[in-house]
Amino acid sequence: YWAEHVTYRVRAQVGALFAPGARPPSPALVATVGTEAAFAARWIPGDARALSASAAAALVARDGRLALDRYRLAAAQGERAELDLNVGRAHAILDQRAAALAAFVRAIWLAPVLAPELPEAARPLVADEITRREALLASGAADALPPWPASEAP
């Protein structure tokens, strides 16, 4: 019960960061959310909600490295297209364009409905890569799923 309560608290704290007029989180809040998320993850195996929320806090704080570390932990619980999208955002913060593009392509391949959430500048690049991969797939020259960014491969 307590771990579930902590999960909800972490998600509420991070959700407040996305409210209109919200300020970027303090380093102390990002650290606290990370600690609480790690606690919840230990007690609710396979549940990535708190880990994903703590990664989002790091992302909003523009700490791409910490966000990537936390998204890796969340993705270990199971891949979700939203995690791939945010991995791309974290790579973009770190100016790792090839890795960001690879993560964005994988996210949109898995869930095309997320395309409007892409950064504006990435949309045509992702669309072109999706078109290219679809042609490769149709010819039998590509796997069904675009690869992870090289730095994220499990």
Side-chain angles (χ1 to χ4, degrees):
Y1 166 77
W2 183 248
E4 193 69 32
H5 174 73
V6 170
T7 296
Y8 287 122
R9 185 173 60 227
V10 166
R11 292 181 72 205
Q13 288 172 323
V14 173
L17 299 175
F18 294 94
R23 295 181 312 181
S26 68
L29 175 62
V30 173
T32 298
V33 166
T35 300
E36 290 184 346
F39 167 83
R42 280 193 300 275
W43 288 97
I44 311 175
D47 187 336
R49 293 174 298 161
L51 292 170
S52 181
S54 72
L59 192 66
V60 172
R62 303 207 45 83
D63 187 338
R65 181 60 41 216
L66 182 59
L68 282 175
D69 291 345
R70 290 180 178 178
Y71 280 124
R72 283 185 193 108
L73 293 173
Q77 306 302 315
E79 184 177 12
R80 295 181 47 128
E82 296 87 349
L83 293 177
D84 292 336
L85 176 68
N86 287 330
V87 164
R89 290 174 173 157
H91 280 295
I93 286 170
L94 296 170
D95 201 29
Q96 297 171 345
R97 294 178 185 190
L101 178 61
F104 291 150
V105 167
R106 189 173 174 95
I108 302 311
W109 188 272
L110 292 170
V113 70
L114 293 176
E117 302 302 319
L118 288 170
E120 192 70 37
R123 291 177 188 176
L125 300 171
V126 170
D128 289 348
E129 182 61 15
I130 294 282
T131 300
R132 187 185 76 77
R133 291 200 61 80
E134 286 172 340
L136 288 172
L137 185 62
S139 72
D143 292 332
L145 186 61
W148 284 86
S151 63
E152 305 306 313

